[in-house]
Amino acid sequence: QVQLVESGGGSVQPGGSLRLSCAVSGSIFALGSMGWYRQTPEEERELVALINDDGRSSVAGSVKGRFNISRDSTKKTVYLQMDRLEPEDAAVYYCLANLEVTRGSPREVVWGQGTQVTVSS
């Protein structure tokens, strides 16, 4: 079945950078928008960045100017480049994809397992 495989998480100091990757594993008919969410035990899951299949993207105000989302349609992969990381950015980051598994099937939302990002001095 279809899965999203995340990688790139880790621990960095404030001001450091990380690049998260999320690849669609398995056969699909069509891939729509993809995005990144993050969540901490004390906060609700929030949208960080979103990118449509036509390349249009948006990022949350809290990370604007520091994070950038991109995608590679051939590899069916979405990336999140995180620069100048702050302690407030520490969270589990989840990838999301809107896709059709087969032609004519309803569009589905698939989540990645999550990858931990830690920011501390």
Side-chain angles (χ1 to χ4, degrees), residues 1-9 20-25 35-39 45 91-97 109-117:
Q1 63 182 43
V2 177
Q3 293 181 317
L4 302 187
V5 182
E6 299 185 32
S7 63
L20 306 183
S21 298
C22 174
V24 178
S25 177
W36 293 93
Y37 287 71
R38 66 186 182 187
Q39 185 174 12
R45 186 172 298 186
V92 177
Y93 283 72
Y94 296 91
C95 176
L96 175 148
V109 176
V110 182
W111 289 90
Q113 186 173 353
T115 184
Q116 178 72 55
V117 172

Side-chain angles (χ1 to χ4, degrees), residues 8-91:
S11 180
V12 298
Q13 295 182 330
S17 297
L18 286 172
R19 191 191 193 200
L20 306 183
S21 298
C22 174
V24 178
S25 177
S27 298
I28 62 172
F29 175 73
L31 179 62
S33 61
M34 304 183 75
W36 293 93
Y37 287 71
R38 66 186 182 187
Q39 185 174 12
T40 67
E42 300 294 331
E43 300 174 346
E44 301 291 332
R45 186 172 298 186
E46 66 171 349
L47 177 65
V48 177
L50 185 70
I51 186 167
N52 296 328
D53 53 5
D54 61 3
R56 292 178 295 173
S57 64
S58 62
V59 298
S62 59
V63 302
K64 190 174 184 179
R66 300 187 297 114
F67 289 13
N68 179 256
I69 186 171
S70 61
R71 64 188 289 162
D72 185 324
S73 297
T74 301
K75 297 180 179 180
K76 296 184 292 184
T77 301
V78 64
Y79 306 94
L80 184 67
Q81 179 66 46
M82 304 183 292
D83 296 323
R84 301 188 300 281
L85 283 160
E86 303 171 353
E88 293 74 18
D89 296 319

